[in-house]
């Protein structure tokens, strides 16, 4: 990993994987998810690639402002989701203010891209190790007889495709990267493939664990981890919580880097750190928005975020097509 041109692929992948771990309920059956992956992986990669092409043609202050607002709104939703999950699993143990401080303050260290890249690789390794260890602890409780053998219907496939096509900002962020670190179609394919593959794998484990009751469970992954043979998540819950905080911190640092590039333009040095002058305003603004929206219904807000992201992508595509047509007309 070169310090002069650090890769942010690990940070992007970690940001997508943490969405699976913090999900409060399962979204589909794994067989339907495997079938839908065939189309959804290249579909998401194509969306990100086409967005990057159009963004280079039509990026203007209005679109940058909309993109920044989307990233800020997503940051608030991630903090609220982590707080609500922690409050469900450990009632009264943490407050919203403590969550904001735990997650946002370490972003000061991750303002430099090299630090963000190195930390993302480390946290991603810890996340994979914790997931493998969790699977080992619950392995005796996984039963093949729990797999559902009913025929897949159209509704099952649509539910899986709808979940897979949730558009996260991570698929759009490579459009902001410098030219030498621009993510192409191959990188976006790997990103979508690993993210959806991990999602389907977790759903498969949960179906082996719960059987037909899987869609009815709230926070099924964490409930299954607590039932493991070694009960590691009962004895060392604070380690699990620290891992969640580290993963969300990397996600917010990635969003902050994108915000800096949106505000500073593509001329900023690749490994330059975001200035500290406006950082207190960023921390205070995040905390204030979280306090105002603390009672927000995340079950409705998260799908709305995906719809807003799709709308922003469509708007960028239209702007890119118009800019391309305008250039062609000027050449005539």
């Amino acid at each position: 990993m070169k310090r002069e041109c650090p890769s942010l692929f690990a940070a992007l992948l970690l940001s997508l994987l943490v969405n699976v771990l913090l999900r409060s309920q399962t979204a589909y059956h794994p067989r339907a998810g495997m079938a839908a992956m065939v189309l959804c992986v290249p579909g998401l990669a194509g969306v990100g690639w086409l967005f990057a092409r159009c963004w280079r043609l039509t990026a203007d202050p209005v679109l940058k402002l909309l993109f920044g607002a989307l990233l800020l709104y997503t940051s608030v939703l991630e903090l609220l989701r982590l707080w609500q999950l922690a409050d469900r699993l450990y009632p009264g143990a943490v407050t919203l203010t403590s969550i904001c401080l735990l997650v946002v303050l370490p972003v000061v260290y991750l303002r430099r891209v090299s630090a963000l890249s190195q930390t993302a690789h480390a946290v991603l390794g810890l996340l994979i190790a914790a997931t493998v260890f969790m699977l080992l602890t619950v392995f005796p409780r996984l039963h093949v007889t729990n797999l559902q053998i009913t025929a897949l219907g159209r509704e099952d496939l649509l539910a899986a495709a709808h979940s897979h096509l949730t558009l996260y900002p991570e698929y759009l962020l490579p459009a902001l990267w410098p030219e030498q670190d621009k993510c192409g179609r191959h990188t976006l394919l790997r990103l979508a493939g690993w993210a959806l593959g991990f999602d389907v794998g977790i759903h498969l484990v949960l179906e082996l664990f719960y059987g037909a009751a899987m869609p009815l469970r709230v926070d099924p992954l964490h409930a299954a981890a607590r039932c493991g043979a070694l009960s590691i998540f009962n004895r060392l819950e604070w380690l699990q919580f620290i891992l969640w905080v580290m993963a969300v911190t990397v996600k917010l640092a990635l969003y902050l880097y994108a915000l800096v590039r949106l505000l500073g333009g593509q001329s900023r040095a690749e490994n330059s750190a975001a200035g500290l002058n406006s950082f207190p305003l960023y921390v205070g603004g995040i905390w204030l928005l979280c306090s105002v929206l603390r009672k927000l219904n995340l079950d409705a807000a998260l799908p709305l975020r995906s719809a807003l992201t799709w709308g922003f992508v469509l708007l960028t595509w239209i702007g890119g097509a118009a800019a391309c047509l305008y250039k062609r007309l000027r050449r005539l």
Side-chain angles (χ1 to χ4, degrees):
M1 179 172 53
K2 296 181 179 180
R3 186 177 179 85
E4 295 80 7
C5 187
S7 172
L8 290 175
F9 180 82
L12 290 168
L13 182 58
L14 177 65
S15 297
L16 290 172
L17 297 189
V18 76
N19 293 320
V20 180
L21 299 179
L22 298 184
R23 178 178 288 154
S24 62
Q25 202 161 5
T26 53
Y28 55 85
H29 291 288
R31 285 188 301 147
M34 293 178 190
M37 274 185 61
V38 177
L39 295 177
C40 292
V41 168
L44 287 174
V47 168
W49 176 78
L50 186 57
F51 175 83
R53 293 286 299 268
C54 293
W55 181 262
R56 293 196 295 270
L57 291 172
T58 188
D60 59 29
V62 176
L63 287 177
K64 289 181 178 180
L65 182 61
L66 291 176
F67 203 175
L70 178 64
L71 293 175
L72 190 62
Y73 178 61
T74 302
S75 301
V76 172
L77 291 184
E78 297 301 333
L79 285 171
L80 290 176
R81 179 164 62 172
L82 178 61
W83 171 61
Q84 291 187 10
L85 175 62
D87 190 58
R88 286 196 303 270
L89 299 179
Y90 321 119
V94 291
T95 63
L96 179 57
T97 300
S98 62
I99 285 290
C100 289
L101 294 177
L102 283 172
V103 173
V104 179
L105 287 184
V107 175
V108 175
Y109 169 72
L110 301 179
R111 292 176 302 114
R112 190 174 294 278
V113 181
S114 57
L116 174 58
S117 178
Q118 294 168 9
T119 304
H121 279 86
V123 177
L124 183 60
L126 290 174
L127 180 65
I128 294 174
T131 303
V132 171
F133 188 79
M134 186 271 291
L135 293 178
L136 293 176
T137 63
V138 302
F139 183 77
R141 293 175 176 264
L142 304 182
H143 303 289
V144 178
T145 54
N146 285 336
L147 291 176
Q148 301 302 295
I149 59 175
T150 57
L152 293 178
R154 181 181 178 184
E155 295 77 10
D156 298 320
L157 294 174
L158 289 177
H162 182 267
S163 178
H164 286 338
L165 292 177
T166 298
L167 191 59
Y168 297 104
E170 283 78 4
Y171 293 112
L172 311 182
L173 293 182
L176 305 178
W177 290 181
E179 193 68 33
Q180 66 270 19
D181 194 34
K182 190 81 68 179
C183 292
R185 288 172 289 181
H186 181 63
T187 301
L188 288 170
L189 276 172
R190 288 192 295 124
L191 185 66
W194 280 111
L196 297 189
F198 182 77
D199 197 359
V200 172
I202 292 296
H203 277 75
L204 178 60
V205 171
L206 292 177
E207 186 170 283
L208 289 171
F209 189 90
Y210 291 110
M214 181 186 68
L216 305 178
R217 297 300 301 262
V218 177
D219 299 320
L221 182 60
H222 311 295
R226 287 181 169 184
C227 297
L230 300 179
S231 301
I232 187 69
F233 290 98
N234 274 335
R235 296 177 183 149
L236 297 176
E237 287 181 335
W238 58 277
L239 286 178
Q240 181 191 18
F241 184 69
I242 288 175
L243 183 59
W244 295 347
V245 170
M246 293 170 64
V248 177
T249 297
V250 170
K251 179 187 281 280
L252 263 65
L254 187 66
Y255 290 167
L256 178 62
Y257 171 66
L259 285 169
V260 169
R261 294 202 64 82
L262 284 170
L263 296 177
Q266 297 292 338
S267 61
R268 294 187 64 88
E270 165 63 16
N271 200 27
S272 61
L276 284 174
N277 295 334
S278 58
F279 192 78
L281 180 62
Y282 170 76
V283 176
I286 289 287
W287 174 81
L288 180 61
L289 288 173
C290 287
S291 300
V292 172
L293 301 175
R294 62 184 302 155
K295 295 184 178 180
L296 187 68
N297 182 6
L298 290 183
D299 292 334
L302 291 172
L304 176 62
R305 189 270 311 272
S306 179
L308 292 175
T309 306
W310 274 108
F312 174 71
V313 168
L314 291 175
L315 184 63
T316 305
W317 285 350
I318 293 173
C324 183
L325 180 61
Y326 177 71
K327 288 183 178 180
R328 289 179 179 272
L329 291 177
R330 288 190 63 182
R331 294 174 183 174
L332 298 178

